[in-house]
Amino acid sequence: MNNYIIKNENATYWECGFSCDNHIYVKLGSESFFITDSRYEIEVKECKKIDQVIIGSDLIKELRLLLLKNQIKVIIIDPQDLSISEYTKLTKNLNKIVFKERLNFSKIKRMIKTEEEIKLIKKAMELGRKGFNDFKQNLPEYIGKTEQWMAFENKKILTKNGELDISFEPIIALEKNAAKPHATPTNKKYEEGKILLIDAGIKYKRYCSDRTETYINKKSKEQQKVYDIVLKAQEEVIKKGRSGMKASELDILARTYIDKQGFGKFFVHSTGHGVGVDIHEFPYITKNNNVIIEDNMTFSVEPGIYLPNNFGVRIEDCVSVKNGKLELL
């Protein structure tokens, strides 16, 4: 894959170590080009992994000129990367250039991590876990506070008051709201003994962490039962998962166990997803994904049970595949 265009920020960062909100990254053979506007000229020219910087106000126009100047015949794009209007403007009257569509080609390239990437993800996970523990220590002080307030407080603690970035907006969900896998924080107030589901993460040097904990300090028998089933389902995947298996087989490990306990219809999402510079990367650990698990893949393992209008439990950690086995990060 010698010639390709990237517009996604995280994909570009992975390629060259820099990105911004108005750019196009182009690879033509062994040469790399970064097209952007004058606001980013100083920063981008400091990036040693970029061979040529092109500054202009009309990025698509500059891209067209670059392709014509280099007499490019075939170039790869991700159809999700460009808007319809950008694609139409780019390809107009360029009949001698073949724009070959390869869906998610950057995510496929990034699926197997380097040792350095795994170290960065592990560091992000360690910092995220510390943030979770710091937040949990303050729970007695949060009685009477709303989910919305707690979500904002969670961000402050996890990011060390802005020293780090969040990898996504935290999910803080109490009781019935926890039965929604991606609940939006509301004005519902926290009470001691109530189920509290927290899904949050931070970025360390652009690499993401992802973690979910469900706190129940005064569990009913039903809540304890559900919690134990979810935990056991996660353990099944981590203990039995191996390289060489299909992603779908990992999903089946968790899904089969939960189904045997009578809660199969309440496990409504996939077992996990890749993590890296994007919070959701390849491989997706779903029942229909036949991608083969390989060493140095990193992904979440996050089974859950969600009982509508009652409560929900999810437990999530991230793993890397090392020497054929799944290792907690």
Side-chain angles (χ1 to χ4, degrees):
M1 190 167 67
N2 296 322
N3 304 330
Y4 53 89
I5 298 166
I6 292 176
K7 200 165 179 289
N8 177 275
E9 277 200 59
N10 285 331
T12 296
Y13 178 83
W14 186 85
E15 293 277 347
C16 67
F18 179 80
S19 67
C20 61
D21 62 2
N22 188 40
H23 81 280
I24 300 172
Y25 179 85
V26 187
K27 197 73 181 285
L28 302 179
S30 61
E31 279 195 287
S32 58
F33 301 83
F34 197 103
I35 306 171
T36 188
D37 64 66
S38 58
R39 294 174 298 168
Y40 302 105
E41 184 171 1
I42 294 174
E43 288 174 294
V44 70
K45 286 184 175 178
E46 292 173 349
C47 183
K48 295 178 181 179
K49 291 184 179 180
I50 298 168
D51 295 312
Q52 184 176 333
V53 175
I54 300 171
I55 302 298
S57 58
D58 187 334
L59 306 194
I60 298 295
K61 179 182 177 182
E62 297 294 344
L63 174 58
R64 285 170 58 89
L65 292 172
L66 176 66
L67 299 180
L68 289 168
K69 179 182 176 182
N70 286 272
Q71 298 181 327
I72 298 302
K73 292 181 171 56
V74 179
I75 193 158
I76 292 167
I77 61 168
D78 185 334
Q80 296 183 128
D81 229 8
L82 297 172
S83 68
I84 293 174
S85 61
E86 288 170 333
Y87 181 78
T88 301
K89 183 177 179 181
L90 172 62
T91 58
K92 187 176 181 181
N93 297 326
L94 293 185
N95 300 325
K96 292 184 178 181
I97 301 177
V98 176
F99 292 89
K100 188 176 290 186
E101 296 184 9
R102 285 196 187 173
L103 187 66
N104 293 315
F105 74 82
S106 177
K107 284 189 175 184
I108 293 169
K109 285 172 66 176
R110 291 182 272 141
M111 187 156 49
I112 296 176
K113 305 296 190 281
T114 64
E115 293 296 334
E116 181 60 28
E117 286 181 297
I118 292 171
K119 286 179 183 177
L120 293 174
I121 296 167
K122 185 171 184 177
K123 181 66 174 179
M125 289 299 299
E126 289 170 351
L127 291 169
R129 181 174 184 171
K130 184 181 184 307
F132 265 76
N133 289 339
D134 291 344
F135 183 83
K136 185 164 60 175
Q137 287 179 358
N138 295 335
L139 283 180
E141 301 173 21
Y142 299 158
I143 294 171
K145 301 294 187 182
T146 66
E147 291 175 336
Q148 294 163 333
W149 185 94
M150 292 173 74
F152 183 72
E153 186 70 10
N154 182 268
K155 282 196 283 189
K156 288 199 298 181
I157 291 174
L158 258 67
T159 63
K160 299 182 177 180
N161 290 315
E163 181 181 329
L164 303 167
D165 287 328
I166 54 172
S167 47
F168 57 96
E169 286 294 323
I171 296 169
I172 305 288
L174 296 164
E175 295 293 301
K176 293 179 181 180
N177 212 23
K180 306 169 188 173
H182 271 200
T184 301
T186 69
N187 59 4
K188 184 177 178 62
K189 293 181 178 179
Y190 178 54
E191 298 175 35
E192 187 177 8
K194 299 295 184 182
I195 282 186
L196 170 61
L197 185 151
I198 301 177
D199 186 348
I202 57 94
K203 291 182 180 181
Y204 176 73
K205 295 185 178 180
R206 287 293 281 262
Y207 282 80
C208 298
S209 75
D210 196 357
R211 183 179 183 84
T212 305
E213 294 188 12
T214 306
Y215 304 132
I216 322 171
N217 61 2
K218 293 180 181 178
K219 302 181 183 74
S220 68
K221 287 184 178 180
E222 182 186 27
Q223 290 169 346
Q224 183 68 64
K225 179 181 179 181
V226 170
Y227 187 94
D228 291 344
I229 291 169
V230 172
L231 181 59
K232 178 65 175 176
Q234 190 200 44
E235 290 172 346
E236 284 282 297
V237 178
I238 295 171
K239 288 179 180 178
K240 296 180 180 179
R242 294 289 184 272
S243 61
M245 296 175 69
K246 296 177 181 178
S248 58
E249 292 178 287
L250 299 187
D251 182 87
I252 288 168
L253 285 172
R255 205 165 297 281
T256 299
Y257 182 80
I258 290 175
D259 192 49
K260 284 181 177 178
Q261 311 307 312
F263 290 90
K265 69 177 181 179
F266 302 111
F267 180 16
V268 296
H269 55 69
S270 64
T271 294
H273 57 82
V275 292
V277 289
D278 280 323
I279 189 59
H280 293 123
E281 290 198 349
F282 288 175
Y284 286 101
I285 311 302
T286 69
K287 59 186 177 182
N288 298 316
N289 189 359
N290 290 323
V291 165
I292 301 300
I293 299 300
E294 298 182 50
D295 273 15
N296 283 34
M297 287 183 173
T298 59
F299 49 87
S300 67
V301 181
E302 50 179 303
I305 292 174
Y306 309 91
L307 305 178
N309 297 311
N310 195 350
F311 67 92
V313 173
R314 179 165 69 253
I315 301 172
E316 175 185 19
D317 293 284
C318 289
V319 299
S320 64
V321 186
K322 285 290 180 185
N323 300 317
K325 298 180 180 180
L326 275 54
E327 291 187 357
L328 281 170
L329 291 169

